[in-house]
Amino acid sequence: MQLSHGGEFSPTGAPVARWSVEQVLALAPDAASRKAGTRLGAAGPWSGTGCDATGAVWGLCKGSGSTPYRTVVDTTGPAYSCSCPSRKFPCKHALGLLLLRASDDAAFRPAEPADWAGTWLAGRRARAAQKGGSAGAGGDSARGPADAAAARKRAERRAERVSGGALELEQRLADLLRGGLAATDRSGYGLWEETAARMVDAQAPGLAARVRELGAITGSGPGWPVRLLEECGLLHLLDRAWLGRDRLPDPLAATVRTRVGLPMSAEGPPVRDHWLVLAQYDTPDGKIVTRRIWLYGRESGRTALLLSFGAAGRSPAQALPVGATIDAELTPYPGGGQLRAELGEQFGATTAAGPPPGIAAAAAPAVYGNALRDDPWLDAWPVTLREVIPVPSEDGWQVADARADVHVAAHADVAALTEAHDNAKAHADGLAGSALPIAPAALSRPGLWKLVALSGGGPVTVFGEIGHCGFDPFAAWDPGEGKEGGGTSGGSIVQLV
């Protein structure tokens, strides 16, 4: 295996953060790799281990053959290289090496890289230098105009097909409303799947996805016709926005193109900052796995989202340790809010820090409402809530703004925690307007109980998304470690997804 991802090699004079065990395990591509890597996280199978000031670690791992596997990791990428035949990245040997580094610092002697590790690291340096030197070369200038003209013609043809699909969808929505929404319950899912297939033929995968979501609403429980009407209204709005995109402001037009499903490229000046890795999680979408990595810029105050994709059972390539802070450049994508970004050059890793500045739970709906002005089809918006307490509600859980009179002592087991929070429910009932329901998607995840245990009835700082379904928590900070906007403990963040 010879794999590298996530930025070019760039040495830095800043201190290199030492990853925690939880951060390393979050990089594993699947549960099998996590389990196998854990078995290799002890000193037994390793020899020739070492590290240097640039963030590189290396070692030889004894395997089934006579020759040990050569493993090297550049933690500033992160990037990995191993002589094993695995096609996963990071492989179990890279995970084991990082786990050993996280748990046994004495096993790594600061030194110059071994010859084989140094060769790989030097190759990364050379590629970084070559990339920087050729950025403004313009060697293909003679071919550029022809390529641009061809690309413009392809874009125009696709836009025509999408417009035809949008007009057809408008007609189908009109027929649907004319016949009555209640009748869709008798039509079955085939009606929606056939319409979605027509949108795929029109090269509008975003419209197709939204049509399939309509099919999932039909017959989904009490009040489903109201929810279906709301979503039909949003789909109609997207259709009309596409057909009238020439009259829209540029940011909103870019948002419409993205929502319809047209590919977009990161553009504009890159933003260099010290980016705190807030959360990383994977969501399956058919045969594709989407990885979302949330970052927060210390100096810019911006929240950014990195997206990467894996196909055919393979994990997405991009991975960053949760809780770490990286010095890097991000290039935003166009569109409302400009949350999505592309990771560019990295200049190294720095010591871990505390949570970003947060807001009260009562202020979160207004933040989401403001974001909807830029993107009316937005399902949720990232927020950090400070000083909130998870408490049970009649139909689930909620996070409530802390008050001086709302405090429950910590307990050691889940049963005691539940009883304690039942006692706190009376306080939460009086916090009208200052409590947010936990989103249904989070109620069945183990992360909810992590949050409850971390709180112990006291206030915590939580990062997640606020949307029309409620608040979905992604990460929280140990209330006993570090202060808001500061702190030095790399283990203070707990991932909840």
Side-chain angles (χ1 to χ4, degrees), residues 269-273 275 295 304 306 328-332 341-345:
V271 179
R272 181 175 177 179
D273 206 337
W275 299 95
L295 306 173
L306 306 181
E329 289 182 342
L330 295 187
T331 303
E342 184 177 277
L343 182 61
E345 184 176 0

Side-chain angles (χ1 to χ4, degrees), residues 82-258:
C82 185
S83 59
C84 75
S86 174
R87 298 183 62 185
K88 297 180 180 179
F89 52 95
C91 67
K92 63 180 181 181
H93 305 101
L95 290 171
L97 181 67
L98 291 173
L99 288 171
L100 178 62
R101 171 68 170 155
S103 60
D104 187 3
D105 193 43
F108 290 82
R109 177 175 55 88
E112 289 295 318
D115 292 343
W116 51 271
T119 300
W120 180 75
L121 292 169
R124 283 176 55 76
R125 294 188 181 98
R127 289 192 296 274
Q130 182 180 12
K131 180 179 179 181
S134 61
D140 296 330
S141 58
R143 192 175 56 183
D147 289 346
R152 185 169 56 253
K153 290 181 179 179
R154 289 194 299 270
E156 290 173 353
R157 287 196 297 268
R158 180 169 186 176
E160 291 176 359
R161 299 194 65 176
V162 173
S163 296
L167 289 171
E168 180 180 347
L169 184 56
E170 281 292 278
Q171 184 60 52
R172 294 192 177 215
L173 288 175
D175 294 342
L176 176 68
L177 294 175
R178 190 178 299 111
L181 292 179
T184 60
D185 195 18
R186 299 190 297 270
S187 302
Y189 192 75
L191 167 68
W192 307 106
E193 187 57 39
E194 191 269 338
T195 304
R198 294 289 299 159
M199 296 304 102
V200 172
D201 292 341
Q203 295 185 293
L207 294 179
R210 298 192 77 91
V211 169
R212 291 191 176 98
E213 291 175 1
L214 296 182
I217 295 175
T218 301
S220 59
W224 68 261
V226 175
R227 296 193 297 273
L228 182 59
L229 180 60
E230 292 173 348
E231 293 300 322
C232 285
L234 285 173
L235 186 53
H236 167 70
L237 180 64
L238 182 56
D239 280 340
R240 302 312 304 177
W242 168 261
L243 295 172
R245 62 192 180 280
D246 294 338
R247 301 188 299 273
L248 298 178
D250 289 342
L252 183 56
T255 297
V256 170
R257 289 193 292 269
T258 300

Side-chain angles (χ1 to χ4, degrees), residues 24-85:
V24 174
L25 292 177
L27 299 174
D30 50 40
S33 298
R34 189 179 299 112
K35 182 177 181 180
T38 301
R39 289 198 296 265
L40 296 175
W46 291 97
S47 62
T49 54
C51 62
D52 67 11
T54 68
V57 293
W58 59 87
L60 301 173
C61 186
K62 180 178 177 56
S64 56
S66 58
T67 304
Y69 295 119
R70 297 176 171 182
T71 308
V72 57
V73 179
D74 174 14
T75 61
T76 64
Y80 322 92
S81 174
C82 185
S83 59
C84 75

Side-chain angles (χ1 to χ4, degrees), residues 399-425:
V399 285
D401 285 326
R403 295 279 185 90
D405 59 342
V406 180
H407 178 74
V408 182
H411 293 266
D413 59 275
V414 170
L417 280 170
T418 304
E419 181 180 357
H421 282 287
D422 285 342
N423 295 333
K425 182 178 182 298

Side-chain angles (χ1 to χ4, degrees), residues 335-347:
Q338 293 187 319
L339 278 180
R340 187 184 175 189
E342 184 177 277
L343 182 61
E345 184 176 0
Q346 297 185 50
F347 304 93

